[in-house]
Amino acid sequence: MLTRFKADCLRILAGAMLAAIFLSAAPSQVGAASSDPVATPSVTARLLTVENGIAPGAGTLSAGLALDLAEGWKTYWRTPGEVGFPPEIDWSGSQNIASIDFQWPAPERFTAFGIENFGYHDEVVFPIRITLAEPGAPVRLSANVTLLTCSDICVPQEFSLSLDVPTGIGIDEASAARITAFADRVPVDASAAGITDISAYVDPAMSAVVVSLRGEAPFTAPDIFAELGPFTSLGRPDIRLGDGGHLLWARVPILSAPDSPLQDISVTVTDAGGRAVSAAPRSLSEPPEPPFAVATSGVDLAALVWIAVTAFLGGLILNAMPCVLPVLSIKLASAMRLGGDDRIAVRLGFLASAAGVMAFMWGLAAVLFVLREIGVTVGWGLQFQNPVFLSLMVLVLGVFAANLAGAFEIALPSRLQTRLANAGSAQGLSGDFAAGAFAAILATPCSAPFLGTAVAFALAGRGIDIAVVFTFLGLGLAAPYLVIAARPGLVRRLPKPGRWMSLLRAVLGLLLGGTALWLVWVMIGVAGPIATLASVAVTAVIVGVLSMRGVSGTARGATAAALAIVMLIVSGTLSDGLSSRGTIASETGGIAWLPFERAEIARRISTGEVVFVDVTADWCLTCKANKALVFDRDPVATALGRPRVAAMQADWTRPDEAISRYLEGFGRFGIPFNVVYGPGAPEGIVLPELLTADAVMDALDRAGTRELGRTE
């Protein structure tokens, strides 16, 4: 289908030929259809015009900005994507110009530095429709052009082009054909392209835009480019065709969204044969249904077994981590008090603890599966971003630590104790169950080094994958409890009860108290000092209430429960309005960490810099170990401070949607996460969770090895 611009070009050509016949006595002026070129290593630019001269009475001029790009180089569309900027032209030096209509041929999709971008390669001509201020008079075109060309690096270009078009008659057929060819690629509006019922839905979380439209002619190999305003980054779309190709449905991921409300949405659709259309879709309150569902491929059984083994071993190792060991130690201490004499009580107690571990793991798997199915970003350890959860854990650990320190004893009502005693082994099973659940809860911030692959596999897979991974993770964590339950006689090999148990109880109380203090420190970063201080104060009051003598246990328990509810409400309320910390710069260990900004990564790589990204959080113990053992020591500390090396830190202590989406782009759902970019590794080199200096230095060297001299 001819565009209006192409039709104008043909009319001009026909009119010029007729004028040449009737005005053959007047010599035409030729040679004005192209400016002198400006050439750089990446692009050669010139101005073109269809006409060699301005015919008498002519009120328009058909022109074009032609860019011939060197092999491997690209430039950008009007909406470039997350990085780059479109060509900008200053026409202020031109003469006899009333208005200029700069048109954009349909773009192509390409990936730069792991980010989707839209633009052109090889060559592009931007058609320009010029209205003359004085019809029939000579024209001077003066264009100051600014644009960006990118290959492995990006090079800004700035140059001037000028072209004088005198009065006269004549057509440059080569320029006319070239301009017309690209004018034919300029998208037409929906009605002209036979497109009907075009609509779009943007989900409230700003994670995707879903587009649906129908065409009179079927689509064959379409692509779609959504425009949501500046500072918006989009991913590769999921495009599905239905109704014999007449229905097009597409879901375009939003990788980063602007803070301000979205501007008017525009959608450009391209297809084979140069078909291109741009339209403003109507807004929908519900997402349009896709024409079909995409089947999820199965996972190889061997891979599933390997992941299950990895999850089991990771869960087993977690028992030795500092956030889990105190709970396990307390459980072993309770078994030592029995001395192994009551094998049934020992067995049931440890089975109850194992059940607590498994209950938490299965519950967490169910919650994550449901959240993932409804489109919520999920991750491992995210409960430590919740101030209410942290407040509850501070309370629980604080109360348990005070109990171990002898401030009070937790006991059931005497009548119930008598019944349980008569029932034998059933006494205390609820506490054993809770101990196992607490161990599993506290394990999550320690688990990344051992479980990153397994958890990522589960959260990215099917429901059965999630069930298998979290089941074996729980079995690994519950293994010590299951071993004692299977062989209660092992308790006999532990030291006999005595005074040393009081000392052990005090030590375990200190360990729990230390864990509680760590959670207080984490909560300061997540909820702020006011909410944290309120939680600590109420916890102290609850401990004081439980320690009161001469007051019935029922009264003390009811008062403590009421205060706990108040504390949870207060901690959630006082922490409201806290912003994400993901974009805050800092300086630690002599390293000047830049704030995390996804687009800034690509901009720095494009200028030849190496970028080291560290995704961390206050609640991530492995992150702290990496910092102390690797980042804060040479040679890594010196390397990250070198010129042309940018250290960028993303703080995930508080929820941050940009960081969550960034991690999800790598198939990761937990931290620590570290990746190195550079001219030699524009897509990034992902590092292991447990870092070593050698691994970091090797990645930095590999990322910076690409030769940069070709553009200089």
Side-chain angles (χ1 to χ4, degrees):
M1 181 177 292
L2 295 179
T3 63
R4 180 182 173 189
F5 190 88
K6 182 178 180 182
D8 287 349
C9 289
L10 293 178
R11 283 197 298 271
I12 291 170
L13 180 59
M17 293 176 64
L18 290 173
I21 293 174
F22 291 105
L23 300 174
S24 57
S28 61
Q29 300 189 35
V30 296
S34 175
S35 69
D36 292 332
V38 172
T40 70
S42 59
V43 64
T44 299
R46 70 189 75 207
L47 287 174
L48 305 177
T49 59
V50 172
E51 304 90 344
N52 284 328
I54 305 298
T60 61
L61 178 66
S62 298
L65 171 62
L67 303 178
D68 293 294
L69 295 154
E71 183 178 358
W73 289 88
K74 305 173 183 68
T75 194
Y76 292 93
W77 186 45
R78 66 186 177 211
T79 299
E82 191 168 3
V83 297
F85 55 84
E88 298 176 356
I89 305 177
D90 179 7
W91 299 96
S92 59
S94 301
Q95 298 176 6
N96 193 24
I97 300 297
S99 64
I100 289 179
D101 180 13
F102 191 90
Q103 301 190 355
W104 301 87
E108 298 172 283
R109 180 184 306 276
F110 56 89
T111 302
F113 320 118
I115 298 172
E116 297 286 322
N117 292 278
F118 317 131
Y120 315 94
H121 73 284
D122 293 339
E123 67 168 334
V124 62
V125 177
F126 297 98
I128 306 169
R129 188 198 309 271
I130 299 173
T131 302
L132 306 186
E134 183 181 348
V139 172
R140 177 173 178 79
L141 299 178
S142 178
N144 293 318
V145 182
T146 301
L147 56 86
L148 186 68
T149 55
C150 289
S151 179
D152 293 330
I153 63 173
C154 290
V155 179
Q157 310 284 349
E158 187 171 357
F159 48 82
S160 296
L161 299 170
S162 61
L163 175 61
D164 291 310
V165 187
T167 56
I169 303 298
I171 297 295
D172 187 297
E173 294 184 2
S175 294
R178 196 176 182 195
I179 294 172
T180 301
F182 280 90
D184 205 24
R185 302 185 192 180
V186 175
V188 298
D189 60 32
S191 59
I195 301 298
T196 60
D197 194 24
I198 180 168
S199 57
Y201 166 80
V202 180
D203 66 24
M206 293 289 290
S207 63
V209 54
V210 182
V211 179
S212 178
L213 56 90
R214 286 186 173 272
E216 294 178 357
F219 295 96
T220 56
D223 200 355
I224 187 167
F225 306 89
E227 298 177 77
L228 307 182
F231 310 112
T232 303
S233 171
L234 303 174
R236 183 171 292 275
D238 171 14
I239 300 176
R240 307 181 196 180
L241 298 178
D243 193 15
H246 292 275
L247 170 64
L248 185 152
W249 178 96
R251 182 183 185 276
V252 185
I254 301 175
L255 301 180
S256 60
D259 296 330
S260 57
L262 287 180
Q263 300 178 0
D264 294 336
I265 300 174
S266 177
V267 173
T268 296
V269 178
T270 62
D271 199 5
R275 183 182 183 185
V277 57
S278 287
R282 61 186 177 88
S283 179
L284 297 177
S285 58
E286 296 291 336
E289 291 294 327
F292 59 86
V294 177
T296 303
S297 60
V299 178
D300 181 78
L301 180 60
L304 187 60
V305 171
W306 174 251
I307 290 294
V309 171
T310 301
F312 178 83
L313 293 176
L316 184 62
I317 295 172
L318 284 177
N319 286 286
M321 297 299 286
C323 44
V324 180
L325 186 59
V327 180
L328 178 59
S329 300
I330 291 171
K331 180 58 188 168
L332 290 174
S334 67
M336 284 188 287
R337 285 198 300 271
L338 293 174
D341 294 331
D342 192 341
R343 297 171 65 90
I344 295 178
V346 172
R347 177 174 283 122
L348 290 179
F350 277 88
L351 283 175
S353 295
V357 172
M358 298 307 299
F360 172 78
M361 287 299 172
W362 286 331
L364 181 60
V367 170
L368 293 179
F369 176 76
V370 171
L371 291 177
R372 195 196 63 176
E373 290 301 303
I374 64 176
V376 177
T377 300
V378 296
W380 185 244
L382 295 190
Q383 68 270 26
F384 285 85
Q385 295 178 344
N386 188 319
V388 175
F389 170 82
L390 289 173
S391 182
L392 176 62
M393 293 307 300
V394 168
L395 170 63
V396 170
L397 292 177
V399 169
F400 280 9
N403 170 250
L404 288 171
F408 57 87
E409 294 295 333
I410 299 177
L412 296 174
S414 58
R415 184 175 302 176
L416 183 57
Q417 287 190 52
T418 301
R419 288 187 178 181
L420 292 175
N422 293 333
S425 60
Q427 182 176 356
L429 292 183
S430 60
D432 294 325
F433 181 91
F438 288 143
I441 292 171
L442 292 173
T444 52
C446 306
S447 62
F450 313 105
L451 304 173
T453 302
V455 172
F457 174 86
L459 296 181
R462 306 163 299 173
I464 186 63
D465 302 323
I466 294 178
V468 168
V469 168
F470 279 86
T471 295
F472 279 87
L473 171 57
L475 289 174
L477 187 57
Y481 304 101
L482 294 173
V483 169
I484 298 297
R487 298 290 302 276
L490 292 176
V491 177
R492 296 178 182 275
R493 301 185 180 182
L494 297 175
K496 298 297 182 181
R499 288 188 175 181
W500 65 270
M501 294 192 68
S502 298
L503 177 61
L504 176 62
R505 176 170 172 161
V507 170
L508 294 177
L510 288 175
L511 289 174
L512 277 187
T515 305
L517 289 176
W518 167 65
L519 288 175
V520 168
W521 177 69
V522 170
M523 189 174 176
I524 292 174
V526 173
I530 296 177
T532 304
L533 181 61
S535 296
V536 172
V538 176
T539 297
V541 172
I542 290 174
V543 170
V545 169
L546 294 175
S547 303
M548 295 175 63
R549 308 297 180 185
V551 180
S552 70
T554 302
R556 285 183 291 166
T559 304
L563 289 172
I565 294 173
V566 171
M567 181 190 74
L568 296 180
I569 295 174
V570 169
S571 62
T573 303
L574 293 180
S575 62
D576 284 347
L578 287 172
S579 62
S580 164
R581 298 172 59 191
T583 59
I584 299 176
S586 63
E587 182 170 351
T588 58
I591 302 173
W593 293 98
L594 299 172
F596 174 77
E597 185 180 349
R598 184 185 176 98
E600 183 66 16
I601 297 172
R603 283 193 284 268
R604 288 181 176 273
I605 303 168
S606 71
T607 62
E609 291 189 39
V610 172
V611 180
F612 182 92
V613 178
D614 173 42
V615 185
T616 184
D618 287 349
W619 43 263
C620 174
L621 297 182
T622 311
C623 302
K624 301 305 178 185
N626 285 339
K627 175 182 179 298
L629 300 177
V630 180
F631 296 152
D632 292 349
R633 298 186 180 185
D634 284 331
V636 173
T638 299
L640 294 180
R642 289 194 313 232
R644 310 289 290 170
V645 175
M648 185 176 293
Q649 193 168 78
D651 190 342
W652 210 29
T653 299
R654 298 174 188 160
D656 188 295
E657 191 66 24
I659 298 175
S660 299
R661 292 175 183 173
Y662 176 71
L663 290 172
E664 193 172 348
F666 286 91
R668 295 297 183 91
F669 299 88
I671 57 174
F673 178 74
N674 297 277
V675 59
V676 182
Y677 301 88
E683 305 303 320
I685 300 171
V686 178
L687 297 174
E689 286 87 354
L690 280 175
L691 294 178
T692 64
D694 289 342
V696 174
M697 296 302 296
D698 177 68
L700 291 172
D701 291 340
R702 288 160 53 198
T705 55
R706 183 69 57 86
E707 176 62 40
L708 306 181
R710 68 190 250 186
T711 60
E712 297 175 354

